[in-house]
Structures are given as C-alpha cells and as structure tokens.
Amino acid sequence: MRQTSLTRTTAETDVSVEINLDGTGSYDNQTGVGFFDHMLDQLARHSLIDMKVRATGDLHIDDHHTVEDVGITLGQALAKALGDKRGIRRYGSCLLPMDDALLRCALDLSARPFLVWNVDLPTDKIGTFDTELVREFFQAFSTQGGITLHVDMLHGLNSHHIVEAAFKSVARALREAVEVDPRKSGDIPSTKGAL
C-alpha cells in the first residue's frame, strides 16, 4: 500500500497530508491560500497521486510559512509512501506547454535532494500570492522528498501560466517516476541496491 498520512505542527502552522501514489489524481486541498490550493490541485490531478491537504497557518503575517510547511510535509509523505522505492521507475521528465509558457522538468527520486530552479517570473504577485513562494515550495518539497529536481522555463510571458505549467510539469514527471516498472517490479532501481 503506497499511501500515507502525515501531520506537522509548529508554532506557525498546522499541516496534515494524505496521499496515495496509486490513485486517480483526486484532490481536496485547503490551505487558506487560494492560488496555492489551485496549484496543489494541479499537482495531484496530473501526477495521479490522490492528495488531501489541510493547513492552517499564520496568514495574518504572510503565506510563506504555510506554503513552505506544506512543501515540507508533502515531501516527507512522498518519501514515506515510496518506502524503499522497490520497483519504481525512479526518473521522470516532462516538457509542458501552457499557452505562452513552456516548462521543462526532470527529476530523480534519488534520496539526494537538489533543486535547480531556472524560472524567472515577470511579476512579484499573482493576485495576492507572492510568486517567490513557488520556489520555496519546491525547495522544501524536493529537500524533504529526497528529490533531485530540475525545473527550467524555456518561454513564458504570464506569471500564472508559468507557475501552473511548472506545477503540471513536475506532476507529470512525478507520475512517471513513482510508477512501478513492470520489467523490474521487485528491484530497487540502483546498482547500489538502495536509494
């Protein structure tokens, strides 16, 4: 059963996450940050990972702690649900267009976290959402999930399109990486014998 639930409580936030890696992409995400919820919905829908996120945080200060702590908790939940990673494809990539935006994602569920983020957003805000928080989310997610994650913007004019394409490209790459490889379903995908 590649599913798990996890909670994280700090003085700044209270986050709970439920995921199922073998789901259909169903989602129920409520963080109090509307645009971020929309992006989490995209992450679930296009990765086919069922996802339920509940978060309350110090939004009277700003959205930073909530977004970052959701990234931390989701990353930890992903790592927990993957277990020893036996049978997974491990790698995933996606070249994703969305109107003016073209984003490329490549990732490795390597247990060696590293984020390469080549995304220049033309605005500081999308509605009331601080666009710098997109990188903060993926930094937390990749670190806690043990993911080597590269995201590159090849083209883009509209911040909403760019960010949404980033989430969707990561989702599609993640979908590929967590899938069970029918040719090696009992093996850990590494010559080291461990990930």
CSV table of all heavy atoms in Angstrom, one decimal, residues 2-5 17-21 49-53 74 77-79 81:
chain,number,residue,atom,x,y,z
A,2,ARG,N,0.9,1.9,-1.1
A,2,ARG,CA,1.8,3.1,-1.3
A,2,ARG,C,1.0,4.4,-0.9
A,2,ARG,O,0.8,5.2,-1.8
A,2,ARG,CB,2.4,3.2,-2.6
A,2,ARG,CG,3.3,1.9,-2.9
A,2,ARG,CD,4.1,2.1,-4.2
A,2,ARG,NE,3.4,2.6,-5.3
A,2,ARG,CZ,4.0,3.3,-6.3
A,2,ARG,NH1,5.3,3.4,-6.3
A,2,ARG,NH2,3.3,3.7,-7.3
A,3,GLN,N,0.5,4.4,0.3
A,3,GLN,CA,-0.2,5.6,0.7
A,3,GLN,C,0.1,5.9,2.2
A,3,GLN,O,0.6,5.0,2.9
A,3,GLN,CB,-1.7,5.4,0.6
A,3,GLN,CG,-2.3,4.1,1.2
A,3,GLN,CD,-3.7,3.9,0.9
A,3,GLN,OE1,-4.5,4.8,0.6
A,3,GLN,NE2,-4.1,2.6,0.9
A,4,THR,N,0.0,7.1,2.6
A,4,THR,CA,0.3,7.5,3.9
A,4,THR,C,-0.4,8.8,4.3
A,4,THR,O,-0.9,9.5,3.5
A,4,THR,CB,1.9,7.7,4.0
A,4,THR,OG1,2.2,7.8,5.4
A,4,THR,CG2,2.3,9.0,3.3
A,5,SER,N,-0.4,9.0,5.6
A,5,SER,CA,-0.8,10.3,6.1
A,5,SER,C,0.2,10.8,7.1
A,5,SER,O,0.9,10.0,7.7
A,5,SER,CB,-2.2,10.2,6.8
A,5,SER,OG,-2.1,9.3,7.9
A,17,VAL,N,-1.5,15.9,5.8
A,17,VAL,CA,-1.4,15.5,4.4
A,17,VAL,C,-1.8,14.0,4.3
A,17,VAL,O,-1.3,13.2,5.1
A,17,VAL,CB,0.0,15.6,3.8
A,17,VAL,CG1,0.2,14.9,2.5
A,17,VAL,CG2,0.4,17.1,3.7
A,18,GLU,N,-2.6,13.7,3.3
A,18,GLU,CA,-2.9,12.3,3.0
A,18,GLU,C,-2.6,12.1,1.5
A,18,GLU,O,-3.1,12.9,0.7
A,18,GLU,CB,-4.3,11.9,3.3
A,18,GLU,CG,-4.7,12.0,4.7
A,18,GLU,CD,-6.2,11.7,4.9
A,18,GLU,OE1,-6.9,11.2,4.0
A,18,GLU,OE2,-6.8,12.2,5.9
A,19,ILE,N,-1.8,11.1,1.1
A,19,ILE,CA,-1.5,10.8,-0.3
A,19,ILE,C,-1.6,9.3,-0.6
A,19,ILE,O,-1.4,8.5,0.3
A,19,ILE,CB,-0.1,11.3,-0.7
A,19,ILE,CG1,1.0,10.6,0.0
A,19,ILE,CG2,0.0,12.8,-0.6
A,19,ILE,CD1,2.4,10.9,-0.6
A,20,ASN,N,-2.0,9.0,-1.8
A,20,ASN,CA,-2.0,7.6,-2.3
A,20,ASN,C,-1.3,7.7,-3.7
A,20,ASN,O,-1.8,8.3,-4.7
A,20,ASN,CB,-3.4,7.2,-2.5
A,20,ASN,CG,-3.5,5.8,-3.1
A,20,ASN,OD1,-2.5,5.1,-3.4
A,20,ASN,ND2,-4.8,5.3,-3.2
A,21,LEU,N,-0.1,7.1,-3.8
A,21,LEU,CA,0.6,7.1,-5.0
A,21,LEU,C,0.0,6.4,-6.2
A,21,LEU,O,0.3,6.6,-7.3
A,21,LEU,CB,2.0,6.5,-4.8
A,21,LEU,CG,2.9,7.2,-3.7
A,21,LEU,CD1,4.3,6.6,-3.7
A,21,LEU,CD2,3.0,8.7,-4.0
A,49,ILE,N,-1.6,11.2,-8.2
A,49,ILE,CA,-1.5,11.0,-6.8
A,49,ILE,C,-2.7,11.6,-6.1
A,49,ILE,O,-2.9,12.8,-6.2
A,49,ILE,CB,-0.2,11.5,-6.3
A,49,ILE,CG1,1.0,10.9,-7.0
A,49,ILE,CG2,-0.1,11.4,-4.8
A,49,ILE,CD1,2.4,11.5,-6.6
A,50,ASP,N,-3.5,10.7,-5.4
A,50,ASP,CA,-4.6,11.3,-4.6
A,50,ASP,C,-4.0,12.1,-3.5
A,50,ASP,O,-3.0,11.7,-2.9
A,50,ASP,CB,-5.4,10.1,-4.0
A,50,ASP,CG,-6.2,9.4,-5.1
A,50,ASP,OD1,-6.3,9.8,-6.2
A,50,ASP,OD2,-6.7,8.3,-4.7
A,51,MET,N,-4.6,13.3,-3.3
A,51,MET,CA,-4.0,14.2,-2.3
A,51,MET,C,-5.0,14.9,-1.5
A,51,MET,O,-6.0,15.5,-2.1
A,51,MET,CB,-3.1,15.2,-3.1
A,51,MET,CG,-2.3,16.1,-2.2
A,51,MET,SD,-1.3,17.3,-3.2
A,51,MET,CE,-0.3,16.2,-4.2
A,52,LYS,N,-4.9,14.9,-0.2
A,52,LYS,CA,-5.7,15.7,0.7
A,52,LYS,C,-4.8,16.5,1.6
A,52,LYS,O,-4.0,15.9,2.3
A,52,LYS,CB,-6.7,14.9,1.5
A,52,LYS,CG,-7.6,15.7,2.4
A,52,LYS,CD,-8.5,14.7,3.2
A,52,LYS,CE,-9.4,15.5,4.2
A,52,LYS,NZ,-10.3,14.6,4.9
A,53,VAL,N,-4.9,17.8,1.5
A,53,VAL,CA,-4.0,18.7,2.4
A,53,VAL,C,-4.9,19.6,3.2
A,53,VAL,O,-5.8,20.2,2.6
A,53,VAL,CB,-3.1,19.5,1.5
A,53,VAL,CG1,-2.3,20.5,2.3
A,53,VAL,CG2,-2.1,18.6,0.7
A,74,LEU,N,4.5,17.5,2.5
A,74,LEU,CA,4.2,16.7,1.3
A,74,LEU,C,5.5,15.9,0.9
A,74,LEU,O,5.4,14.7,0.5
A,74,LEU,CB,3.8,17.6,0.1
A,74,LEU,CG,2.3,17.8,-0.1
A,74,LEU,CD1,2.1,18.8,-1.3
A,74,LEU,CD2,1.6,16.4,-0.4
A,77,ALA,N,5.8,13.0,3.2
A,77,ALA,CA,4.8,12.0,2.9
A,77,ALA,C,5.1,11.2,1.7
A,77,ALA,O,5.0,10.0,1.7
A,77,ALA,CB,3.4,12.7,2.8
A,78,LEU,N,5.6,11.9,0.7
A,78,LEU,CA,6.1,11.2,-0.5
A,78,LEU,C,7.2,10.2,-0.2
A,78,LEU,O,7.1,9.0,-0.6
A,78,LEU,CB,6.6,12.2,-1.6
A,78,LEU,CG,7.1,11.5,-2.9
A,78,LEU,CD1,6.0,10.9,-3.7
A,78,LEU,CD2,7.8,12.6,-3.7
A,79,ALA,N,8.2,10.6,0.5
A,79,ALA,CA,9.3,9.7,0.9
A,79,ALA,C,8.8,8.5,1.7
A,79,ALA,O,9.2,7.3,1.4
A,79,ALA,CB,10.3,10.4,1.6
A,81,ALA,N,5.7,7.2,1.7
A,81,ALA,CA,4.8,6.3,0.8
A,81,ALA,C,5.7,5.5,-0.2
A,81,ALA,O,5.3,4.4,-0.5
A,81,ALA,CB,3.8,7.2,0.1
